[in-house]
Amino acid sequence: MILEREARLVNTLHGFAGTADVLFRYGQNGIGILDYKTRKTVPGKPVGAYEDQAMQLAAYAATYWGEENIGRVLAANVFISSTEPGRMEVVKHAHPEKDWEAFKRLAEIWRYIKGYDPRKQT
């Protein structure tokens, strides 16, 4: 069951915000997040997600479902081909808990490099 579409999420603890395409429940206790992406594809070549796409979904899922539930989240990108009409592929991310940990570390590095911390704004 889809709970929200285009949900604006703000994580004040870790200092980021974004928009989740689809947040949903499935089965008895399943929770999940989907993100749609367009991708130029090549016939016969599988579509894969980039590392930052897995981290983005994990960050949004942790914000919406809570960090304590990140290991339960089904996180997936839905790739829609911009070069092969009708082609669509779903890529599930196997370890959202690891992706969330990586995202938090990268966010720290980003704040250091930029010299900017949105959590300190008035």
Side-chain angles (χ1 to χ4, degrees), residues 29-101:
N29 297 308
I31 54 178
I33 183 169
L34 297 176
D35 188 52
Y36 296 102
K37 300 281 186 203
T38 57
R39 175 78 57 87
K40 291 181 181 178
T41 59
V42 176
K45 185 175 179 185
V47 175
Y50 304 126
E51 290 85 5
D52 64 329
Q53 292 168 332
M55 289 185 276
Q56 175 193 27
L57 284 174
Y60 293 171
T63 300
Y64 187 81
W65 297 109
E67 289 188 64
E68 68 278 8
N69 293 309
I70 192 66
R72 297 179 41 220
V73 172
L74 186 159
N77 287 107
V78 179
F79 291 100
I80 300 165
S81 177
S82 61
T83 54
E84 295 178 83
R87 182 173 178 187
M88 181 181 74
E89 290 194 36
V90 176
V91 176
K92 294 180 185 177
H93 302 287
H95 303 288
E97 62 281 356
K98 290 181 181 179
D99 297 327
W100 171 230
E101 290 303 318

Side-chain angles (χ1 to χ4, degrees), residues 4 8 11 15 17 23 30 34 38-41 48 57 59 62 66 76 81 86 104 108 114 117 122:
E4 293 196 49
R8 292 183 186 194
N11 190 311
L23 294 152
L34 297 176
T38 57
R39 175 78 57 87
K40 291 181 181 178
T41 59
L57 284 174
S81 177
K104 291 188 288 186
E108 285 182 46
K114 299 294 184 182
D117 189 338
T122 56

